[in-house]
Amino acid sequence: MSARLPRRPNLLRAAVLVALLASAASVSGCAQIGDSVPSAFADPAKYDLYDCKQLETERKGLASRATEQERLMAKAETGVGGTVVSEMVYRNELISIHSQQRLADQAWRANKCHESPPDSPAAAAPAAPTPAANGPRAPRGLVH
């Protein structure tokens, strides 16, 4: 006579469920690191010697990098298992960028910097080239 253990598959399912919940909890905990530990992903003294012009350029670059990283994360989340891929592949870089942004903003405020005014359209457009005073040129390759 053989004895069957009908509860064994249920035990296996429960173990798998607990493992999945534990891994989900650990991944969600990583998402909160960027708010509490800014210096773990960026050098606190990086922007100390930057002037306002350098800080302005750096802040714009960091903003565009953060936007690009968030776009990549949103794109990854559309696929199968995309949330896990997004968190594992892109989240640390986004945390690093946000940390650098905070440090650049602190240096910006410490230096009492202000946004530079946008360039006027007339000054930004180069002057149109003037036509040659000697008349039309002969096509290349023709020898007279």
Side-chain angles (χ1 to χ4, degrees):
M1 222 165 105
S2 68
R4 297 181 102 190
L5 298 174
R7 295 185 187 260
R8 184 163 238 159
N10 290 338
L11 218 58
L12 183 61
R13 284 185 194 153
V16 169
L17 181 63
V18 168
L20 285 174
L21 289 175
S23 65
S26 66
V27 171
S28 68
C30 293
Q32 303 303 323
I33 288 176
D35 297 333
S36 62
V37 188
S39 63
F41 289 94
D43 179 17
K46 180 176 182 178
Y47 301 111
D48 286 351
L49 300 176
Y50 279 43
D51 63 7
C52 289
K53 186 172 180 147
Q54 291 171 321
L55 282 170
E56 184 174 20
T57 304
E58 186 71 14
R59 289 174 70 218
K60 287 179 183 178
L62 288 170
S64 67
R65 282 180 56 203
T67 303
E68 177 66 19
Q69 199 70 14
E70 289 166 356
R71 187 187 64 75
L72 288 172
M73 288 179 71
K75 184 177 179 183
E77 289 175 2
T78 61
V80 175
T83 304
V84 174
V85 171
S86 173
E87 291 294 323
M88 293 180 73
V89 175
Y90 298 117
R91 177 62 68 179
N92 286 340
E93 181 67 22
L94 185 63
I95 291 170
S96 174
I97 292 168
H98 284 276
S99 299
Q100 290 176 19
Q101 282 179 318
R102 272 190 225 101
L103 293 172
D105 288 340
Q106 287 174 357
W108 180 266
R109 286 187 301 275
N111 290 346
K112 297 180 176 112
C113 297
H114 301 284
E115 295 286 335
S116 61
D119 293 335
S120 63
T130 58
N134 296 341
R137 292 177 52 178
R140 290 187 179 192
L142 294 178
V143 179
H144 291 270

